[in-house]
């Protein structure tokens, strides 16, 4: 779920996240996340690098998460089927 913070006069969207490797909890700016939208639930996910341990994290993204991330300015990659 995104949280809004104030930086100067502008509002910046940050997202709360957690790392399954080190169990760290933190907030990430939209630029630290990537969203991939595929043809199915299995191929729709978001990813980021844990700022605490450096692990690459990939988590599934349902409809609500996709809405929140795209609305918050996260870069999105649309995956196309080759079939």
């Amino acid at each position: 779920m995104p949280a809004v913070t104030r930086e100067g006069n502008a509002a910046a969207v940050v997202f709360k996240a957690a790392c399954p490797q080190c169990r760290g909890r933190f907030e990430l700016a939209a630029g630290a996340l990537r969203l991939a939208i595929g043809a199915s639930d299995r191929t729709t996910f978001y990813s980021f690098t844990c700022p605490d341990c450096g692990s690459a994290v990939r988590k599934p993204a349902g409809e609500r998460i996709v809405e929140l991330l795209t609305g918050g300015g996260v870069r999105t990659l649309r995956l196309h089927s080759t079939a």
Side-chain angles (χ1 to χ4, degrees):
M1 180 95 87
V4 177
T5 60
R6 299 275 177 201
E7 293 180 8
N9 292 332
V13 177
V14 294
F15 298 91
K16 292 182 180 182
C19 176
Q21 295 294 324
C22 71
R23 302 198 188 283
R25 295 187 174 278
F26 37 81
E27 292 182 345
L28 296 172
L33 296 153
R34 299 293 175 266
L35 174 64
I37 300 175
S40 71
D41 290 343
R42 293 179 64 196
T43 57
T44 300
F45 60 91
Y46 65 99
S47 62
F48 58 91
T49 299
C50 175
D52 292 343
C53 71
S55 292
V57 179
R58 177 175 160 164
K59 295 188 175 188
E63 278 186 45
R64 182 69 179 137
I65 297 295
V66 169
E67 286 178 31
L68 292 170
L69 294 176
T70 56
V74 172
R75 274 197 270 179
T76 302
L77 171 65
R78 297 209 180 259
L79 305 175
H80 297 283
S81 174
T82 58

